[in-house]
Amino acid sequence: MCGIVGYVGKRNAAEILIDGLKRLEYRGYDSAGLALKTDKGLLILKEVGKVADLERMLQDRAPVSNQGIGHTRWATHGGVTLANAHPHKDGSGRFAIVHNGIIENFMDLKEELERDGVVFISETDTEAIVHLIARFYSETGDILATLVALQKKLRGSFALAMIQQDFPDRIYCVRKGSPLVIGSGNGESFCASDVPAFLPYTRNIQYLDEGDIAEISLQGIKIWDENGEPSEKPVVTVDWDVTMTEKSGFSHYMLKEIHEQGMVLRSTLKGRTADGRISIDQELGWDAETVSRWDKIHIVACGTSYYASLVAERVLEKWTDFDIKVDVASEYRYRHIRCDSSTLAIFVSQSGETADTIAAQRKARSEGAHCMAITNVRGSTLAREVHSVMLLKAGPEIGVAATKTFTGQMAALFLVALQLGRLRGTLSPEEEERLINEFLQIPYKVELLLEREQEIRGLAMNYADKSNFLFIGRGISFPIALEGALKLKEISYIHAEAYAAGEMKHGPIALLEPEVPVVAVIPRDGLYEKTLSNIQEAKARNAPLIAICTEGDTHIAKYVQAVVEIPWTDEEFTPFLTVVPLQFLAFHIALLKGKEIDQPRNLAKSVTVE
Ligand code: G6P
C-alpha cells in the first residue's frame, strides 16, 4: 500500500507531486507529504488526512522547487500521526525518503541504529531506512554503493524514492518487492508507484526489475541492478491516456467505471475472436500439445478478483475436462494442495501487485506449475513473473471498489476457458461459435442495463436505512451474490452477507425478519426453480425481497417486493449482467448515506503487504 512519486525537471515540483499523489490516493489516504529541494535545503511538508488537506496547507507556503518526492500513506508501522507521515529524514536532515512496503527486520535495525546513537522520531520502519542510507553514505561517499549495501541489509518489500540536499537535480529509487515505474519526458523525469501518477506528462515508461536502482535526473534515466551493474531497460509507450484517469463529468470514479463496462468488454474481446472462433493462440503461446500436459487448473486471487475466479470455475467445469480448484491467495499459499507440472495455475489480480497473490504464484511456480496472470497492469510484478499473461483492456481503475475490472476479469477468464475447451476438444466448433456469438452481444446488453441506473437508484432509496442485507444466488449466480454483498459493505459499511441460496436454511435464515432485505440473484437458468424455493422460504419469514431476474419473468413478481430485470442471455453469461444492478445498488445506497465512495475507510486498492 502507500503511493510514492518523484519529479525532477523545470516545472513546479509541488504542483506535479500533488497531482501525482491525487492519482495515487487509491493506494492509501491516511496522511500525505512532500520533500522539496530548495536553495535553503530540503523542505518537508506533511499533513494527516488526504492529499487535498496537504494541498490546502501548501497554498500559501510552497516555494518554487523543481525537484521533490511525495507520499500518500496507508498506515502499517505506527499510527496515523504527523510524525509517522512520510517523507522521513536522517539526523542531519540532508537525506529524505518516501517508502512503500514493509521492512521485516525493522526492529533489529532500529536497535542496532539506536545503539549507535541514532534518535528515532517516528514509529515507522521507513525511518530506519533513511538512517541506514546516511550511515552507508558517510562510510562510502558513494550513493550507488550505499544503495547496494542498503538492499543487502533490508529484509521485506520496498519501493523507495530518495532525495539528497547536495545532489544536483537528481532522485534515486530502489525497487524490491513493491511496484515502482520510471517515466521520462522532455528534460524531466518521474518515478511513481503506478503509471497514472505521471500520465499527464509522459507515456514513456521503464519498468524496474527486482533489486534495480535508478537515478532520475534532468539528463535522463540511469539504471543499475542490485549489484550496482549498469542495466538497460526498454522504454515502453503505454496505451493509457490521461482522460482515463479523470472523472469525465461523473461525480465519482466508481460511477464512471460502472458505466465503462460495455466499453471494457468490447475492448477485452476485440481482436481475440475471429469468425466465431477464439483467437488467442499467439497471445498465450499454447497449442494442443501444451494443454495436453495439464490435468488440473488452480485459480488464485483476492477480493473481487477471487469472485471473478469463482464465476470462471463454473464455466471451466462446463467447457473443459480439468480438475479445478479456486482459492484465495492468502490460504492457497499456505495449503498443501497438489501442484506440479500437470497444473495450469492462473493468478487473477487487477493490480498485479497483491502481495498474497504474488507469493502464491511463486509457490506454484516453484512446484512446477505453468503460471498465468490475468491482470490490468502491464509491467506489474505478477505480469513479469509468470509464463503467460492475458491483459485486461479496462484502462486504469481508480475507485477502490473494483467494478469494471471484475467484468474485464470474467471476460478474460471466459476467453481462456474457450481456448482450453477448443484445444482439449471438449467444446465442439458449433458450440464454440454459438458461445462466441452470444459473448459478442454482451457489451450491448450491459449498456442496455446501464441505462436503467435511475430505476435502481429508486430502489436504493427504499433500502438505504437498513443495517443488514442477505444476498443469495445459486450456481454461477452465487459468486455474483458474494460480489454484490462485498460492494455494499465496502462502500456503505452496511453489514451484508452472501450465501449459496441452498445454504440459507443452514443458518442465515435465523436472521431473517422484516428489517433484513434479501437480494436474490435469480436469472432464468437451470437452477431457477431451486432459487425460487429459497425465495419463498425468505418470504415466509417476512423478509423484504429484491430479485435480479431475467426480463419477462412475470412469475417472480408474486414473491418479491422489487425486481430488476436483465436482458436475456445464456446461463454462462448472466454474471456480466446480474452484477451491474448490484454495483448500482451499492453505489446509490452509499451515496444516500453520504459515504466516501471512491476511498472507503480502511481499504486500499492495492494490498502490497501480506
Ligand atoms: C483490495 C481491493 C479490492 C481488490 C483486491 C484484490 O482488497 O480493495 O478491490 O479486489 O484488493 O486486488 P487485485 O489487484 O489483486 O485484484
Side-chain angles (χ1 to χ4, degrees):
M1 346 276 251
C2 302
I4 66 175
V5 61
Y7 173 75
V8 187
K10 300 254 183 294
R11 303 190 225 205
N12 182 340
E15 269 175 35
I16 291 189
L17 294 171
I18 289 284
D19 184 42
L21 289 180
K22 284 186 181 165
R23 292 167 198 279
L24 292 178
E25 216 170 6
Y26 69 83
R27 303 179 68 86
Y29 26 87
D30 289 335
S31 62
L34 301 181
L36 298 169
K37 192 169 159 195
T38 72
D39 296 343
K40 299 190 189 84
L42 295 184
L43 176 69
I44 309 261
L45 299 155
K46 309 177 185 189
E47 192 63 291
V48 169
K50 302 211 162 181
V51 176
D53 299 314
L54 177 69
E55 186 179 27
R56 261 191 298 281
M57 179 189 125
L58 278 171
Q59 261 159 14
D60 315 316
R61 297 187 47 191
V64 175
S65 160
N66 309 114
Q67 185 185 344
I69 53 178
H71 188 269
T72 179
R73 181 167 188 244
W74 190 89
T76 53
H77 284 78
V80 179
T81 63
L82 203 55
N84 291 335
H86 297 215
H88 292 283
K89 289 189 292 185
D90 73 310
S92 73
R94 306 187 94 73
F95 289 91
I97 65 163
V98 287
H99 165 220
N100 165 213
I102 286 195
I103 305 304
E104 288 162 4
N105 56 339
F106 149 67
M107 286 312 291
D108 295 343
L109 295 172
K110 185 171 180 181
E111 276 169 26
E112 183 185 324
L113 286 157
E114 281 177 336
R115 275 199 301 275
D116 288 350
V118 172
V119 178
F120 278 71
I121 52 174
S122 78
E123 302 158 291
T124 65
D125 50 350
T126 305
E127 199 184 337
I129 307 176
V130 73
H131 291 309
L132 279 174
I133 291 176
R135 185 169 95 182
F136 291 143
Y137 188 70
S138 74
E139 286 165 11
T140 62
D142 180 313
I143 193 63
L144 188 57
T146 294
L147 297 176
V148 169
L150 177 77
Q151 292 205 56
K152 295 197 171 36
K153 191 87 178 162
L154 298 180
R155 250 194 1 254
S157 68
F158 43 93
L160 305 174
M162 183 213 84
I163 193 167
Q164 212 273 14
Q165 182 178 311
D166 311 315
F167 294 172
D169 303 323
R170 62 200 48 195
I171 290 172
Y172 287 90
C173 315
V174 187
R175 177 198 188 283
K176 196 163 194 176
S178 299
L180 192 64
V181 286
I182 304 293
S184 39
N186 196 0
E188 57 188 359
S189 303
F190 307 80
C191 64
S193 303
D194 197 359
V195 173
F198 49 69
L199 213 43
Y201 315 104
T202 183
R203 288 164 51 196
N204 297 329
I205 312 296
Q206 282 166 294
Y207 295 104
L208 298 181
D209 284 316
E210 285 292 277
D212 279 351
I213 298 165
E215 175 193 274
I216 69 165
S217 72
L218 283 180
Q219 286 73 44
I221 313 290
K222 284 188 193 162
I223 300 173
W224 300 268
D225 68 12
E226 63 189 326
N227 299 314
E229 297 298 326
S231 170
E232 292 292 319
K233 292 277 149 24
V235 177
V236 177
T237 303
V238 290
D239 55 5
W240 291 358
D241 74 57
V242 69
T243 57
M244 292 173 159
T245 64
E246 286 160 2
K247 288 188 196 156
S248 312
F250 286 94
S251 59
H252 296 78
Y253 283 112
M254 182 180 176
L255 190 59
K256 176 189 175 219
E257 288 157 4
I258 293 173
H259 278 276
E260 283 174 344
Q261 290 179 108
M263 184 266 287
V264 166
L265 283 169
R266 216 168 272 122
S267 31
T268 300
L269 291 174
K270 194 169 165 203
R272 286 168 165 163
T273 69
D275 305 323
R277 307 299 307 266
I278 182 87
S279 164
I280 51 175
D281 296 6
Q282 289 195 344
E283 187 175 353
L284 297 185
W286 302 343
D287 57 21
E289 203 277 316
T290 323
V291 306
S292 71
R293 286 185 236 135
W294 305 325
D295 56 24
K296 299 185 283 299
I297 296 181
H298 294 175
I299 314 181
V300 183
C302 300
T304 288
S305 304
Y306 170 62
Y307 296 149
S309 308
L310 289 178
V311 172
E313 177 183 32
R314 282 145 174 92
V315 163
L316 279 158
E317 281 167 0
K318 212 163 165 180
W319 297 348
T320 72
D321 58 353
F322 295 96
D323 275 345
I324 301 157
K325 278 202 166 55
V326 180
D327 206 352
V328 288
S330 53
E331 289 295 314
Y332 180 87
R333 60 184 290 196
Y334 296 113
R335 289 179 65 184
H336 303 280
I337 300 178
R338 204 162 72 82
C339 176
D340 51 29
S341 58
S342 66
T343 312
L344 166 64
I346 305 177
F347 298 87
V348 185
S349 172
Q350 185 283 129
S351 61
E353 299 295 347
T354 301
D356 281 320
T357 310
I358 291 169
Q361 189 278 141
R362 289 178 184 157
K363 177 178 183 253
R365 193 183 167 106
S366 73
E367 288 167 352
H370 179 97
C371 293
M372 170 185 196
I374 291 189
T375 178
N376 196 30
V377 183
R378 180 200 295 270
S380 58
T381 304
L382 192 63
R384 283 182 302 112
E385 291 192 4
V386 290
H387 303 103
S388 322
V389 181
M390 182 175 251
L391 286 174
L392 311 182
K393 305 282 173 75
E397 187 178 65
I398 314 259
V400 165
T403 51
K404 65 174 178 174
T405 55
F406 176 71
T407 312
Q409 286 168 343
M410 287 194 297
L413 285 159
F414 275 43
L415 289 169
V416 172
L418 285 165
Q419 171 78 348
L420 290 168
R422 171 140 78 89
L423 293 174
R424 296 282 278 206
T426 46
L427 268 185
S428 68
E430 296 72 36
E431 184 66 353
E432 181 183 347
E433 184 172 359
R434 190 187 67 72
L435 289 168
I436 285 176
N437 286 342
E438 182 55 23
F439 206 174
L440 293 174
Q441 294 304 310
I442 296 299
Y444 302 98
K445 294 183 179 180
V446 166
E447 277 160 0
L448 283 176
L449 258 177
L450 293 171
E451 286 171 16
R452 311 245 303 270
E453 182 184 350
Q454 289 316 311
E455 182 189 322
I456 299 157
R457 185 169 173 273
L459 196 59
M461 290 168 86
N462 293 338
Y463 294 94
D465 62 334
K466 305 293 181 216
S467 311
N468 298 287
F469 274 72
L470 183 65
F471 287 69
I472 58 170
R474 276 178 183 255
I476 206 155
S477 295
F478 171 44
I480 298 304
L482 289 163
E483 175 62 5
L486 178 67
K487 287 289 90 89
L488 186 65
K489 66 187 136 193
E490 274 182 315
I491 60 170
S492 71
Y493 316 144
I494 291 175
H495 170 238
E497 278 195 57
Y499 257 78
E503 277 287 294
M504 199 175 66
K505 285 194 284 294
H506 299 288
I509 201 162
L511 301 173
L512 295 190
E513 43 137 321
E515 285 306 303
V516 181
V518 176
V519 181
V521 186
I522 176 169
R524 270 274 176 201
D525 61 15
L527 294 168
Y528 176 83
E529 302 289 343
K530 303 280 176 200
T531 313
L532 197 59
S533 309
N534 303 125
I535 284 181
Q536 284 163 318
E537 290 155 11
K539 181 177 160 60
R541 273 81 192 172
N542 299 319
L545 278 143
I546 302 166
I548 313 298
C549 61
T550 305
E551 64 191 358
D553 184 347
T554 47
H555 190 58
I556 197 143
K558 290 187 215 138
Y559 307 100
V560 302
Q561 275 68 24
V563 293
V564 181
E565 293 188 345
I566 60 158
W568 185 90
T569 185
D570 287 342
E571 179 167 328
E572 290 94 326
F573 296 105
T574 55
F576 293 100
L577 304 177
T578 49
V579 76
V580 174
L582 302 185
Q583 294 167 340
F584 276 140
L585 186 68
F587 175 84
H588 282 290
I589 289 180
L591 191 65
L592 288 162
K593 292 175 77 76
K595 302 299 180 201
E596 289 244 25
I597 294 177
D598 283 333
Q599 294 169 351
R601 70 183 180 204
N602 304 339
L603 298 178
K605 188 154 190 70
S606 184
V607 179
T608 55
V609 293
E610 185 178 346

